[in-house]
Amino acid sequence: MSANNESWGTRVGLILAMAGNAVGLGNFLRFPVQAVQNGGGAFIIPYLICFLVMGIPLLWIEWSMGRYGGRFGNHSTPFILDQMTRRRFWKYFGAFGIFTNIAVAAYYCYIESWTLAYVFHSLMQTFAGLTQGEVAAFFDRYTTITSATTGVPYESVVFYILCLVLNTYILSRGLSGGVEKVAKVGVPLLIVFGAFLAVRGFTLGDAGAPEGCTDCNSYLGLNFLWEPQFDSLLDPTVWLAAAGQIFFTLSVGMGTVQCYASYIRKNDDIALNSMSAGWMNGFVEIVLGASIVIPIAVGYLGLDWVKENAGFAMAFQTMPFLFDQWGTALATLGGVAWFGLLFFAGITSSLAMGTPWMGFMEDEFGWKREKAAWSFGGLVLLMGLPTVYFYNEGVLWEYDYWAGTVSLVVFALAESIIFAYIFGINNGWEEINRGADIKVPAIFKPLIKFVTPILLLVVFLSSLVTPVNGDWGRAFSGDWELDDNSIIGKITNQGFDANREYFADHFEATVPGEIVAIEEGPEGETVVAVAQLLPYHRTATNEAEPVMEASQLGNLETFDSLTVVQTYKFEPENEIIVSVGDEVEVRETIALGDFTNPIFYIDLAKILLTLLFVFICAIIYVATVRREKQPERR
Amino acid sequence: MSTSAIITMVLVQVSVTIITAYFFMKVLRTPPKPEPNSYDEE
């Protein structure tokens, strides 16, 4: 019998919790980076259109699925899908709605713990007076688990466990007593912090420009983000990026929305609630997210620098340096506001990730919520420690790719098909409109039935067979070489040309080039640098791009002034068998010794994720057997 | 900033803010449904 007697305290609390679930680090980091990488102002129109034709329909689908499942005592996706389809397969497919949350929480809590640690370091003024390079090096030192930036050994592990314990404790207080209370404090606070930083982004101008920097002006950053470029509407790459961003920003395809909505009663509104939470997320992303990182970074470092370096790492490796330019008091305030904002954005999302597992264990095995919460914490710790210990080996980003990206698309695609074609669009439409406090426009019925699944299918297929550099024009003209980051490329470890054995007695060069340095590093290691001269050409907009093949050049001339240097670090006991001046090819041995290659850690991550998925399927099987013994729950 | 960039930014940011505020206000102003509803404290 289910021990699940959770409920929401207030309607506003539910909306803030849902908005908090959607608002995450991606609103402040992924959105501006995606916008920059997809032509700035070119991005915003496809982004808004995708929100209307894919984002809003998916929100309504997930909210109504959740409320429908909750009516039958099901608070997680396996038995919600079972209830909707009455087919065994979909019940096991619903495992995604628990798997994704545990796997994502495993590494998300680690990133969340960085924000907590950086709030601490901002208060301690650790970054005062550091150069940009030193701030970046601080992050590298922090994520090397054996080093201690505060004197506490294994500092990053300590902060991770602290963060996880905090999440678990809040979850053990229940929906209204824990999750909702945090959302009611966290969401308004992150908006206040965000507003403070956005005002700074809007008013900075060229006040922070170093001498000689001609493109250091926050207005240039804003101009780049908002200058409309209507020709981009014909570029499929921009549309795909926009659809992907809408998808990830709303936290759909995870099973958390269904879980939160499953505690809403049959005749209570979901149509208005979902709009309110969804637009709140849009406000945080479009109004605040677009006004912080890019304008501030452009104000100090210039537009060219930002175009070249925009990425996730900027949050930790660049922003503390920029805040430090504001003077001691404002730098501390800026650091606390920025990392505090990221922390609240993170924790309101990671708490949501705990609820599907808890709901499932309470429904199916009669567990009390404290037991369910701490078991979630234990599972996340088990799955998360490899991401902490092997962060520099790429385990965290492998989790992010499979659990935080591919699984979401697969699950959302399936649920949109189930909703429209198995549950039935008429039943679905009735469910969306039941108890609605707004009139849902009729146009959304065909959108949900046709456009949303097709868009999701396109996003999935384009991820499956992404061509090199996302160059779809070249792919459709017959030259379809898969990108290393396509799903097929990742499955086959296509990115590993060299060092393909897990354990080896030699190490191979991963790029061709000339050995330009062999020297001792700061910690006694040997650093070998391979320089690679790559032919580059200038585009019409005067940007340097690597030449893929000679036929691409036409009448343009190459220049080789850009040299890419790849460095390798070796332990003192390794034997270096190349000398400065040697030319090496890919897969040519450059050192002897005992090596554990990165491919081992990447496959380890895949195995751990597979085991987690199988484990959840096994639990669903046990739950099914238990249900069959309880006639009232069949 | 160019005029078109300013217009786009103001138009998009103001529209998103107004729509967000509109839906949130509508939530606040809509009277609760008769008991039992989904919320403990209403």
Side-chain angles (χ1 to χ4, degrees), chain A residues 7-9 223 227 265 268, chain B residues 2 4 37-38 40-42:
Chain A
S7 64
W8 293 104
N223 192 73
E227 176 79 57
R265 285 182 193 270
D268 273 337
Chain B
S2 69
S4 58
N37 65 14
S38 306
D40 275 352
E41 298 163 25
E42 288 180 357

Side-chain angles (χ1 to χ4, degrees), chain A residues 177-450:
Chain A
V179 175
E180 191 176 330
K181 279 186 179 166
V182 171
K184 279 178 167 174
V185 175
V187 174
L189 256 183
L190 82 82
I191 290 175
V192 170
F193 286 160
F196 164 70
L197 293 167
V199 167
R200 192 70 187 146
F202 274 118
T203 55
L204 183 62
D206 60 359
E211 208 174 305
C213 180
T214 53
D215 67 344
C216 292
N217 188 326
S218 68
Y219 299 132
L220 280 179
L222 289 168
N223 192 73
F224 180 66
L225 276 178
W226 293 104
E227 176 79 57
Q229 296 169 34
F230 296 105
D231 54 342
S232 72
L233 294 176
L234 300 174
D235 184 350
T237 311
V238 177
W239 280 94
L240 280 175
Q245 178 59 26
I246 282 299
F247 187 78
F248 296 117
T249 187
L250 292 172
S251 293
V252 287
M254 290 188 76
T256 47
V257 173
Q258 288 92 331
C259 180
Y260 274 8
S262 68
Y263 297 98
I264 300 172
R265 285 182 193 270
K266 178 182 172 185
N267 292 317
D268 273 337
D269 165 87
I270 55 163
L272 174 60
N273 285 353
S274 56
M275 282 303 87
S276 184
W279 281 96
M280 209 176 279
N281 175 70
F283 168 80
V284 171
E285 182 150 296
I286 297 167
V287 179
L288 301 181
S291 310
I292 300 176
V293 175
I294 301 299
I296 292 178
V298 172
Y300 287 102
L301 301 168
L303 187 57
D304 281 345
W305 186 93
V306 170
K307 281 186 192 172
E308 289 290 320
N309 297 285
F312 182 81
M314 275 177 72
F316 301 93
Q317 295 186 321
T318 310
M319 294 305 279
F321 168 73
L322 304 184
F323 297 141
D324 197 40
Q325 312 309 306
W326 297 356
T328 310
L330 266 182
T332 306
L333 195 61
V336 170
W338 173 242
F339 293 111
L341 166 162
L342 292 181
F343 174 72
F344 284 120
I347 197 167
T348 46
S349 301
S350 59
L351 287 173
M353 294 172 205
T355 53
W357 164 265
M358 289 174 62
F360 184 82
M361 299 312 282
E362 289 171 48
D363 287 346
E364 304 305 323
F365 297 95
W367 285 16
K368 295 270 186 278
R369 73 171 176 231
E370 287 80 5
K371 185 177 174 184
W374 289 104
S375 65
F376 171 74
L379 263 177
V380 169
L381 182 66
L382 208 60
M383 289 296 295
L385 281 179
T387 70
V388 179
Y389 277 88
F390 306 127
Y391 171 76
N392 290 317
E393 284 76 14
V395 170
L396 186 149
W397 301 114
E398 197 65 14
Y399 272 41
D400 182 51
Y401 183 82
W402 293 110
T405 310
V406 176
S407 297
L408 307 192
V409 181
V410 169
F411 189 67
L413 172 62
E415 70 183 0
S416 70
I417 293 170
I418 290 169
F419 190 82
Y421 297 98
I422 299 178
F423 186 56
I425 189 65
N426 291 331
N427 289 334
W429 189 248
E430 189 185 322
E431 198 60 38
I432 290 170
N433 282 284
R434 187 192 304 277
D437 287 332
I438 52 169
K439 182 167 171 48
V440 180
I443 182 68
F444 278 99
K445 194 172 177 182
L447 281 178
I448 289 171
K449 187 168 183 185
F450 301 110

